[in-house]
Amino acid sequence: MASGRPSLSWLMNSRCLSSFLRQEVMGSPGTFRRSLMFSALSYLGFETYQLLSPAAVVHASAKGLRGGDVLQQADYLYESGETEKLYQLLVQYKDSEDAELLWRLARASRDLAQLRAAAGAEKKALVYEALACAKRALESAPASFAAHKWYAICVSDVGDYEGIKAKIANAYVIKEHFEKAIELNPKDATSIHLMGIWCYTFAEMPWYQRQIANALFAAPPSSTYEEALGYFQRAEQVEPNFYSKNLLLLGKTYLKLQNKKLAAFWLLKAKDYPAHTEEDKQVQAEATQLLAGLATKD
C-alpha cells in the first residue's frame, strides 16, 4: 500500500501568512520522499512546499474496478504524478465510507488545489473538499494513522481562509493528530518529521508573532529546538536517509543549539544527498551555503 507525502517544496517562511502542509504523508514512509506535499500554518512560520513525482502517461478508469483494484490504480497514479487523473478516479467514490479511499481523495483534492493556484474559487472549494474527505475518513477509521495525518494537513490548509485566530487554534488540532498518527504508527518517518517541523516552527516564531498569539490565547502553542531535534532524530532512526530535508533540518536545528560540529555533520550529509528532485537540489544549495557560513566563522 502506498502511503504518501504532503508537499513539504518547502520549509519555513518567517514572513507572514502563507500556508501549512503541502505534501502528502500517507501510510508508508518510503513514498514520503517522492511527493511530500505539506502546507504549513503560514502565520506561525510554515511555508508551502511541494514535491511531485515525474509525470508518466497513465490512463485510468474506475469502471469495473473493485475496491482493492481502485486503491492499487490510485497508488500507481499517485506515484506517477498524475494528479488530475487520480482525482477523476477517486472523486467517483466521494460518497464512499471506505477510509482508504477517502483519505486518498483528500490528498488528491489538495494536490489538485495546489496545481490550480491561480483559480482562487476553485482552489478554495478543493481545499474544503479535501478537509471534508479527511474528516469522513477519520470518522470511518479512527485507528487509521493516515487518516489522522491527512486530517492534520487539511486542517492546516483551511487556515488560510479562516483568519489568524483560527490558524493559531488549529495548531493545537494539527499537533494532536500528528501525535496520534505517530502513536498509531511509530514507524512512519513522515509523521515524525512533520511533528518536528511543527516544533521547529513554533520554536522559531518571532517575538512579535508571539505577542499576537499571547493576546489571543492564554496558552498559545509553543515548542523548543530541543523538541524539534528529538523528532528529526527519531525520524532518521526509523528510516535513515529517507528525506533530504530531514537531514537539512537536523543541521539547522543543531545550528540553533550552537552545536557547530554536529550541524556540519548533518549539513554535509544533506549536501551530499543524491538530488532526485528539484527539492533535493534546493536542499543541497542551502546546505552548501550554511556550510560555507560555518567555514567563514571558523
Side-chain angles (χ1 to χ4, degrees):
M1 177 181 84
S3 122
R5 210 161 103 154
S7 174
L8 280 173
S9 59
W10 124 201
L11 215 218
M12 273 67 61
N13 176 10
S14 59
R15 291 194 306 229
C16 53
L17 311 164
S18 63
S19 47
F20 179 26
L21 290 131
R22 233 190 120 185
Q23 206 148 330
E24 327 188 355
V25 200
M26 29 173 301
S28 146
T31 42
F32 171 67
R33 38 178 179 278
R34 302 227 8 209
S35 173
L36 185 64
M37 235 185 189
F38 171 90
S39 273
L41 264 181
S42 57
Y43 169 70
L44 299 173
F46 282 57
E47 176 188 73
T48 299
Y49 43 82
Q50 164 182 340
L51 177 62
L52 291 176
S53 304
V57 179
V58 181
H59 300 281
S61 171
K63 292 182 179 179
L65 294 178
R66 294 172 297 177
D69 295 328
V70 175
L71 294 180
Q72 185 176 18
Q73 181 75 316
D75 291 342
Y76 176 59
L77 288 170
Y78 175 74
E79 288 299 316
S80 301
E82 292 284 347
T83 305
E84 293 268 1
K85 292 175 182 176
L86 174 60
Y87 177 79
Q88 292 303 323
L89 171 70
L90 291 174
V91 76
Q92 300 175 72
Y93 301 92
K94 63 182 179 181
D95 296 324
S96 170
E97 296 302 320
D98 187 327
E100 292 295 312
L101 286 169
L102 288 170
W103 73 251
R104 284 173 171 82
L105 177 55
R107 180 185 64 186
S109 298
R110 74 178 305 279
D111 284 1
L112 195 59
Q114 301 297 344
L115 291 179
R116 296 178 178 175
E122 183 182 18
K123 178 179 180 179
K124 181 177 179 179
L126 285 166
V127 166
Y128 277 92
E129 177 183 290
L131 177 62
C133 291
K135 182 178 180 182
R136 287 175 52 217
L138 191 57
E139 290 170 347
S140 178
S144 165
F145 85 94
H148 281 279
K149 180 162 48 178
W150 277 102
Y151 182 70
I153 292 168
C154 292
V155 166
S156 171
D157 288 341
V158 302
D160 286 342
Y161 302 100
E162 298 187 349
I164 292 175
K165 187 172 183 179
K167 287 188 180 200
I168 299 175
N170 285 347
Y172 296 101
V173 178
I174 292 163
K175 181 183 181 184
E176 175 189 348
H177 287 280
F178 277 148
E179 289 177 334
K180 188 63 177 179
I182 294 169
E183 176 188 330
L184 290 168
N185 185 359
K187 296 300 184 182
D188 179 32
T190 298
S191 295
I192 300 168
H193 172 81
L194 294 176
M195 193 61 236
I197 291 176
W198 190 99
C199 294
Y200 189 102
T201 298
F202 285 101
E204 193 180 46
M205 190 192 302
W207 68 269
Y208 63 90
Q209 291 184 354
R210 293 185 190 278
Q211 291 295 99
I212 296 172
N214 286 329
L216 293 173
F217 293 89
S222 63
S223 189
T224 65
Y225 291 117
E226 286 83 1
E227 286 182 296
L229 180 65
Y231 283 109
F232 295 140
Q233 288 175 327
R234 182 176 168 188
E236 204 61 31
Q237 290 165 0
V238 166
E239 189 177 353
N241 295 315
F242 77 107
Y243 185 35
S244 62
K245 210 76 177 198
N246 199 66
L247 302 175
L248 177 67
L249 280 172
L250 277 163
K252 292 177 72 170
T253 306
Y254 274 118
L255 275 179
K256 295 289 187 182
L257 295 172
Q258 304 299 314
N259 189 327
K260 294 182 180 180
K261 183 177 180 180
L262 283 175
F265 174 82
W266 289 105
L267 290 173
L268 186 61
K269 287 178 71 71
K271 182 180 78 71
D272 293 340
Y273 190 92
H276 300 300
T277 67
E278 186 60 35
E279 186 182 37
D280 291 334
K281 294 176 184 178
Q282 293 170 4
V283 165
Q284 286 183 341
E286 185 174 357
T288 300
Q289 183 178 21
L290 291 170
L291 283 166
L294 279 174
T296 302
K297 291 176 182 178
D298 290 341

